[in-house]
Amino acid sequence: MANPLGNRIYQVDIPRPSQELLQKLSEAPAANLDDAMNRLFAMDTGIRALNSHPLCGPAVTVRVPDGDNLFIHVAMDMVSPGDILVVKGGAGADRALLGELMLRYLVPRKVGGVVIDGLIRDLDYIQEECPFPVYARGSSPNGPYKNGPGEINVPVAAGGMVVNPGDVLVGDPDGVVVVPRDDVEAAAEAVQAVQEMEHSVIDRIGQDGVFIRPWMDKKMQEWDTPTLSL
Ligand SMILES: O=C([O-])CC(=O)C(=O)O
Ligand SMILES: [Mg+2]
């Protein structure tokens, strides 16, 4: 057998949450979902939405070297409908890992989206035609090499967060939140409570201009801040 270190493909049947659970996660803004997870689960701010389609689905993960997409091509044949292809490229990359041809190939495969910790190209297609969400650090006309190696369905550090195969990624223009696969139900429940709280605050602001902030009164009592006159 070839040396599998940095050169392996796990054929895992990732957990795929029910449509109902995914719906609950995706109907809230990513910010509220992150609040529901105590504000610790967002990818770093370099990972940006390149079109406006909402992102929500379980991850198939890929690790590739700087500027090389051979194993992304292999992973494209492993995604099921709704899956999010999550790629960790090398840190010093100056070339795109994916572009229009690959994205067009993923359309009939009904991929749920693509999140690239690295660069993409063919931005016009992504912004104007691609029917699913694409997130990446940016774009470059420099194209990828296709030499390998790589790993598929291993834990990757994408956008500064550990992403395991089957973790659920939820994204909107604010960025991407990673829900560990064992926490999906708890997160879906917790986000509903955050949503209800936000809606009641918004309603009061709209109704009578009152912003309910019990935490502010509590903190300011602790500070006992003097009000001075000049
Ligand atoms: O050449 C590549 O592998 C990436 C690309 O631009 C495309 O898929 O259109
Ligand atoms: Mg291209």
Side-chain angles (χ1 to χ4, degrees):
M1 190 176 78
N3 176 3
L5 303 180
N7 174 35
R8 57 190 145 193
I9 296 170
Y10 286 104
Q11 280 282 2
V12 290
D13 202 10
I14 60 167
R16 294 191 174 85
S18 65
Q19 278 310 315
E20 194 193 344
L21 260 185
L22 292 175
Q23 174 70 28
K24 281 185 187 168
L25 287 179
S26 64
E27 62 198 10
N32 292 6
L33 177 59
D34 196 50
D35 281 2
M37 300 175 73
N38 287 304
R39 309 179 175 206
L40 286 172
F41 287 84
M43 286 187 175
D44 72 57
T45 56
I47 307 291
R48 303 306 310 164
L50 300 181
N51 59 24
S52 57
H53 302 295
L55 173 89
C56 184
V60 168
T61 63
V62 189
R63 182 205 315 282
V64 294
D66 274 2
D68 190 295
N69 73 2
L70 177 66
F71 276 64
I72 306 177
H73 278 270
V74 176
M76 289 198 304
D77 289 334
M78 295 173 62
V79 293
S80 292
D83 290 352
I84 310 295
L85 192 59
V86 180
V87 178
K88 169 60 180 160
D94 68 346
R95 50 189 71 249
L97 291 171
L98 183 140
E100 177 176 354
L101 301 180
M102 297 167 78
L103 294 167
R104 282 189 185 275
Y105 177 65
L106 288 169
V107 174
R109 306 186 77 78
K110 299 194 169 17
V111 73
V114 171
V115 176
I116 309 287
D117 189 336
L119 308 179
I120 52 78
R121 63 180 179 175
D122 308 327
L123 198 50
D124 274 353
Y125 170 76
I126 292 170
Q127 289 173 336
E128 280 154 36
E129 282 189 66
C130 185
F132 53 77
V134 177
Y135 287 72
R137 288 199 183 274
S139 61
S140 170
N142 278 346
Y145 299 117
K146 294 164 176 14
N147 299 320
E151 296 191 311
I152 299 176
N153 281 330
V154 294
V156 295
M161 293 296 294
V162 174
V163 181
N164 285 287
D167 288 352
V168 174
L169 271 60
V170 180
D172 66 15
D174 280 351
V176 178
V177 174
V178 181
V179 184
R181 60 191 177 197
D182 294 335
D183 297 330
V184 170
E185 281 192 36
E189 203 170 299
V191 77
Q192 278 189 318
V194 172
Q195 283 286 84
E196 280 163 25
M197 192 270 294
E198 289 245 339
H199 284 139
S200 67
V201 171
I202 290 168
D203 286 350
R204 277 301 295 275
I205 292 173
Q207 275 159 24
D208 52 17
V210 172
F211 188 174
I212 307 165
R213 290 168 292 181
W215 47 268
M216 184 177 82
D217 299 335
K218 189 162 169 278
K219 267 291 159 207
M220 290 313 290
Q221 253 171 21
E222 282 167 29
W223 279 107
D224 194 22
T225 308
T227 303
L228 309 174
S229 40
L230 286 174

